[in-house]
Amino acid sequence: MVHNNKWSIIDFEKCIPFICDPISGECSAVRACSKELLIQEEPGEMPMLLSQAFCVGCGKCVAACNLQAIYIERGI
Ligand code: SF4
Ligand code: SF4
């Protein structure tokens, strides 16, 4: 089995949904993840990564986040 050695980390100190989208509070990173691994239970709430194991570290969510609140972690 192949394990991904890159995954996204959300920095909850920087993530403020109603600052990056004052109108809807919707997380643009959630929409950017084609694997649907990021979820936001309600607009205005911080997103969560559903599975580190399935995240491929593609960085689409990083690029979509207006507040630089997501980064890619690399394992060994
Ligand atoms: S790095 Fe890619 S696969 Fe992982 S959560 Fe972000 S957009 Fe999805
Ligand atoms: S786009 Fe970034 S700052 Fe905005 S809610 Fe999503 S993770 Fe948080």
Side-chain angles (χ1 to χ4, degrees), residues 4 6-10 29-38 48-52 54-64 70-72:
N4 297 315
K6 295 191 294 184
W7 56 87
S8 66
I9 302 280
I10 300 162
V30 169
R31 291 193 294 272
C33 181
S34 53
K35 292 186 168 290
E36 300 182 350
L37 292 176
L38 291 168
M48 292 182 295
L49 178 65
L50 283 177
S51 169
Q52 183 176 301
F54 283 101
C55 173
V56 295
C58 67
K60 290 178 187 169
C61 56
V62 175
I70 309 180
Y71 59 95
I72 301 296

Side-chain angles (χ1 to χ4, degrees), residues 9-11 14-16 20 27-30 32 38 47 59-71:
I9 302 280
I10 300 162
D11 183 343
K14 293 183 179 174
C15 172
I16 309 171
C20 66
C27 174
S28 51
V30 169
L38 291 168
K60 290 178 187 169
C61 56
V62 175
C65 175
N66 299 329
L67 298 182
Q68 289 80 50
I70 309 180
Y71 59 95

